[in-house]
Amino acid sequence: MKQFPEENEIVICTVKKVLYHTVFVTLDEYKDKEGIIHISEISPGRIRNIRDYVRENKKIICKILRVNKEKNHIDLSLRRVTPSMKKNKLDELKQQQRAEKILEKLEKQNKLSKTDVDEITKIILKTHENLYSFFQDTLTNPELLESIPKKLQEPLKKIIQERIKLPEVKINSLLILQSNADNGIEEIKKALKKAEDFAKSKKQDLKILYVSAPNYKLTLTSSDYK
């Protein structure tokens, strides 16, 4: 775990103390680290009562403005966090909690010690930014599991498949296919067959429905929009 956050990083905080012009918080993801939010960074516009926005023990999502490592001083902002930043951070938190649940189940099922789990975590974090991204990547690249002890590879794979599903994107499209060639129908059939084969080679699900000449409906399901 990093000792200090980076400037512009989005972090989860717990409000520790609320004063007239200042809010003191603890940074949940950084052990023993505290920060300060000045009243000007709470919300745009004039603030009559700071407690309308923050209260003790409340969880809030903030942006890191400045970090002074020598003085152990961290300035944060609440008002500079956009709705999309907040959503992304909450999604990240949910993923982290899901990843921790996967390791907890692996620990319980295989009677592992805390040291065993810590070692597995260290191995994973050598190649990935966090546990969840590693678990998600194993769904398309199972060879990644070879980095952990052999006896745990299959049990972990099973738990991951139970707990994590790859995101899917579904696109519907209406195509108008026409040909003036003598064998126009055959040419259209060949084109649609090529589309099916291409989708299969990319491990995507393509369904083609004949509506009425010259209209065809295509439904493509994939893990990647592009």
Side-chain angles (χ1 to χ4, degrees):
M1 179 183 288
K2 294 185 295 183
Q3 294 298 312
F4 283 89
E6 302 291 334
E7 288 187 7
N8 297 318
E9 186 175 338
I10 306 301
V11 295
I12 299 173
C13 304
T14 302
V15 178
K16 185 177 180 182
K17 186 189 295 184
V18 180
L19 302 181
Y20 185 71
H21 280 109
T22 310
V23 177
F24 294 86
V25 300
T26 55
L27 280 64
D28 292 10
E29 298 151 288
Y30 294 89
K31 188 178 180 182
D32 300 327
K33 289 292 179 288
E34 296 184 359
I36 295 174
I37 311 172
H38 187 264
I39 190 171
S40 62
E41 291 296 335
I42 295 294
S43 179
R46 186 178 178 185
I47 297 176
R48 295 183 181 278
N49 185 355
I50 198 170
R51 290 183 178 274
D52 290 339
Y53 300 89
V54 288
R55 292 181 180 275
E56 282 84 354
N57 301 316
K58 181 181 178 182
K59 298 283 185 183
I60 56 176
I61 296 175
C62 299
K63 184 176 183 178
I64 302 293
L65 296 181
R66 288 169 293 276
V67 177
N68 187 323
K69 296 180 181 180
E70 288 73 24
K71 295 182 179 180
N72 202 30
H73 188 88
I74 301 171
D75 290 321
L76 304 101
S77 173
L78 183 60
R79 72 178 180 88
R80 302 193 198 199
V81 177
T82 65
S84 62
M85 290 176 180
K86 186 174 182 179
K87 180 183 182 302
N88 290 339
K89 189 63 185 181
L90 290 174
D91 288 344
E92 181 185 312
L93 177 61
K94 289 176 184 176
Q95 290 175 353
Q96 180 182 328
Q97 291 171 338
R98 196 176 301 173
E100 289 171 355
K101 291 291 184 184
I102 287 173
L103 282 185
E104 285 175 13
K105 187 169 184 179
L106 183 72
E107 177 187 354
K108 186 176 180 181
Q109 286 183 348
N110 296 273
K111 297 181 173 58
L112 303 178
S113 67
K114 291 294 182 184
T115 303
D116 294 331
V117 175
D118 289 342
E119 284 301 315
I120 293 170
T121 301
K122 287 179 183 177
I123 292 170
I124 291 173
L125 296 182
K126 285 180 181 178
T127 58
H128 285 71
E129 187 176 348
N130 55 60
L131 294 173
Y132 188 86
S133 63
F134 173 84
F135 295 152
Q136 191 174 49
D137 285 351
T138 63
L139 295 174
T140 53
N141 189 9
E143 292 80 10
L144 288 171
L145 290 168
E146 293 174 3
S147 61
I148 68 169
K150 190 170 183 179
K151 66 177 182 178
L152 298 174
Q153 291 174 15
E154 279 304 315
L156 180 55
K157 181 180 179 181
K158 186 176 179 182
I159 298 171
I160 293 170
Q161 290 174 340
E162 289 172 354
R163 298 294 183 99
I164 299 179
K165 302 298 178 187
L166 284 173
E168 286 188 343
V169 179
K170 184 176 285 188
I171 301 172
N172 292 311
S173 181
L174 185 65
L175 295 187
I176 298 175
L177 302 179
Q178 294 175 311
S179 173
N180 294 324
D182 293 338
N183 63 337
I185 294 177
E186 292 302 317
E187 291 298 321
I188 289 173
K189 285 182 179 178
K190 286 180 184 178
L192 295 175
K193 180 68 167 60
K194 282 185 178 180
E196 287 180 331
D197 291 343
F198 180 77
K200 192 178 294 183
S201 71
K202 297 293 183 179
K203 298 181 180 179
Q204 298 168 348
D205 181 28
L206 176 65
K207 290 183 172 59
I208 301 173
L209 177 67
Y210 172 73
V211 181
S212 62
N215 301 312
Y216 297 81
K217 182 182 178 183
L218 271 65
T219 301
L220 180 65
T221 304
S222 173
S223 60
D224 182 82
Y225 183 81
K226 291 184 179 179

